[in-house]
Amino acid sequence: MADNEGLTEAERAELEQLRAEKAAREAAKAQAAERAELEALRAEKADAAKATAAKQRAQAQAAQDAADLERARKLMEPDEDDLKMPVGQKVVILGVVVVAAVFLLLAIFR
């Protein structure tokens, strides 16, 4: 550092004041940097939480889709005994028979 022997009292006081102002500016700058880092870390944490929640929702949706697919497969595939029809096929045939019966009755009673 510079030798303070050649400074007057007023110059020393001014130097100390300027040093104090510089220290205050540096402290404010450090605090602003810490605040910015804190906000960045909070945003990063929020993004990670959103990504985790989205991943969990996607996994839940995939599990639901798999369950729906399995239920539909069981409905349309034949049972263990090959002579039995699957329930879905029985429902379709019953619907066709009912519609045909309605048309037959309408044709007869007109």
Side-chain angles (χ1 to χ4, degrees):
M1 288 250 155
D3 190 28
N4 289 338
E5 295 300 323
L7 297 177
T8 64
E9 282 297 317
E11 289 174 331
R12 275 192 210 109
E14 182 182 1
L15 179 61
E16 292 301 319
Q17 180 185 3
L18 291 174
R19 285 180 180 166
E21 289 174 4
K22 180 180 178 184
R25 281 193 309 271
E26 288 175 355
K29 188 176 182 181
Q31 287 177 354
E34 287 177 352
R35 275 191 222 103
E37 182 182 7
L38 176 63
E39 290 301 319
L41 290 174
R42 283 180 180 166
E44 183 179 323
K45 183 178 178 181
D47 289 345
K50 287 179 185 177
T52 302
K55 187 176 181 180
Q56 289 174 346
R57 282 192 305 272
Q59 288 174 346
Q61 184 63 39
Q64 181 65 36
D65 291 346
D68 291 345
L69 187 61
E70 180 64 21
R71 189 174 66 246
R73 185 192 62 76
K74 284 183 180 180
L75 183 65
M76 294 308 289
E77 284 185 0
D79 295 330
E80 291 79 28
D81 185 7
D82 287 336
L83 298 177
K84 289 185 174 182
M85 288 187 286
V87 176
Q89 188 176 1
K90 290 177 186 177
V91 170
V92 170
I93 291 173
L94 180 63
V96 169
V97 169
V98 168
V99 170
V102 168
F103 280 123
L104 182 62
L105 290 175
L106 286 175
I108 292 173
F109 293 114
R110 259 191 184 183

